[in-house]
Amino acid sequence: MTALVVQRIKVRWTSRDAAAATVRRGVVQEYPLPDGPADGITVHDVLLDEATGYRPTDRLGSGDAAVREAGLWVEWRGGAAVVDHLPSRASYPVRGLRTRLFSLAPGQRGRWRANFRFTGCACSARWWYEQWTVQVAHAPGRPDLFHAARYARDVDHRVHLYGGPRPGRR
């Protein structure tokens, strides 16, 4: 069986002031992988929430359901892992269709970065923001798999969350 490892690092916040942004910029964005199965699909989900002082919490999952829970869809074509982002419930940016991120041959790694603005239900609107760094390796897992990784594919979908393009991008 083929090995695929996904690590999603999700930073969540509600504060929009400069001091809070400075704290967020200092949040660690690299975590070793816990031991997992040698083959199949492994998903390591790490959450850093402002509400808990950005103390990391993580969980390890496996299989297609864990990949979908991480917002991804994986198909296998000719030995390559084709990775798409599923539509999310984000208020901004709104992406209603599955989005192709990349295709990885055996041994390759890919990274996708994105950020989102969410709101709760209409009866109790509550805004929050998330930045995701999703790393995918078409390789067996090991603790340092993404440490100082070189990515065959690097996709950046980050936007300015308060409307308009992110500064410095067109």
Side-chain angles (χ1 to χ4, degrees):
M1 180 175 243
T2 303
L4 188 80
V5 178
V6 175
Q7 182 180 61
R8 177 175 67 165
I9 300 169
K10 184 168 43 174
V11 179
R12 180 181 296 150
W13 70 94
T14 57
S15 300
R16 290 177 43 181
D17 59 59
T22 299
V23 171
R24 270 194 312 281
R25 278 192 294 277
V27 170
V28 174
Q29 290 284 318
E30 186 174 294
Y31 292 89
L33 290 169
D35 289 332
D39 59 9
I41 299 174
T42 302
V43 178
H44 182 220
D45 217 359
V46 180
L47 173 64
L48 300 120
D49 196 324
E50 179 184 53
T52 62
Y54 297 110
R55 186 177 56 253
T57 58
D58 70 329
R59 64 181 173 187
L60 193 62
S62 61
D64 293 333
V67 169
R68 284 190 300 277
E69 194 173 315
L72 302 177
W73 184 267
V74 176
E75 292 182 13
W76 300 95
R77 293 191 189 145
V82 180
V83 182
D84 295 347
H85 172 245
L86 294 171
S88 72
R89 295 180 185 205
S91 300
Y92 184 82
V94 176
R95 293 186 181 114
L97 301 173
R98 228 166 66 179
T99 305
R100 174 69 31 89
L101 297 177
F102 38 72
S103 180
L104 300 174
Q108 289 184 323
R109 293 177 190 91
R111 176 174 64 180
W112 172 54
R113 292 177 287 175
N115 55 1
F116 307 96
R117 182 174 66 211
F118 294 91
T119 186
C121 68
C123 62
S124 176
R126 172 179 141 329
W127 290 91
W128 73 93
Y129 306 88
E130 291 181 0
Q131 178 170 296
W132 295 7
T133 301
V134 179
Q135 303 171 107
V136 182
H138 189 334
R142 62 178 197 277
D144 66 344
L145 183 63
F146 296 115
H147 177 71
R150 292 179 188 230
Y151 299 99
R153 309 286 181 267
D154 197 356
V155 179
D156 190 342
H157 286 163
R158 291 176 293 177
V159 297
H160 189 279
L161 287 173
Y162 314 113
R166 191 178 74 171
R169 291 188 58 175
R170 294 179 183 200

